[in-house]
Amino acid sequence: NSFCTLLDRRAMSVLFDLHSTIFVVLLLVCTATYVRYYRPSAYTRASQELHLKFMYKCSVIGDRLSPAVAAGCVLMALKVLLS
């Protein structure tokens, strides 16, 4: 029972911790942009599935805000290395 409680706390901690949430969003944007670069047909703007539309929007954010995303990735990498 205590293991399930610990597991629930770890799973929910990403939602309540700002740094973890930013980290997950940055990873999602970078992954979507990378996949779209190498497989443009993986998801497109005209996709009917909700998750493919979401991944497409993440990849567009990665393309248009690439300097900001890169700076965020460098800052998160430094945070992980120095903590």
Side-chain angles (χ1 to χ4, degrees), residues 33 36 45 56 58-69:
T33 306
R36 185 171 171 227
R45 185 176 184 175
Y56 174 77
C58 288
S59 69
V60 169
I61 290 170
D63 283 341
R64 294 185 183 169
L65 297 177
S66 57
V69 171

Side-chain angles (χ1 to χ4, degrees), residues 45-74:
R45 185 176 184 175
S47 297
Q48 295 299 319
E49 291 86 11
L50 185 62
H51 67 282
L52 293 178
K53 282 186 178 183
F54 181 72
M55 292 297 286
Y56 174 77
K57 290 179 188 265
C58 288
S59 69
V60 169
I61 290 170
D63 283 341
R64 294 185 183 169
L65 297 177
S66 57
V69 171
C73 288
V74 168

Side-chain angles (χ1 to χ4, degrees), residues 13-53:
S13 68
V14 172
L15 296 176
F16 299 117
D17 185 21
L18 180 64
H19 295 290
S20 297
T21 305
I22 292 172
F23 190 72
V24 169
V25 169
L26 277 173
L27 284 175
L28 181 67
V29 168
C30 291
T31 303
T33 306
Y34 179 82
V35 170
R36 185 171 171 227
Y37 180 76
Y38 285 105
R39 298 241 356 236
S41 62
Y43 36 84
T44 61
R45 185 176 184 175
S47 297
Q48 295 299 319
E49 291 86 11
L50 185 62
H51 67 282
L52 293 178
K53 282 186 178 183

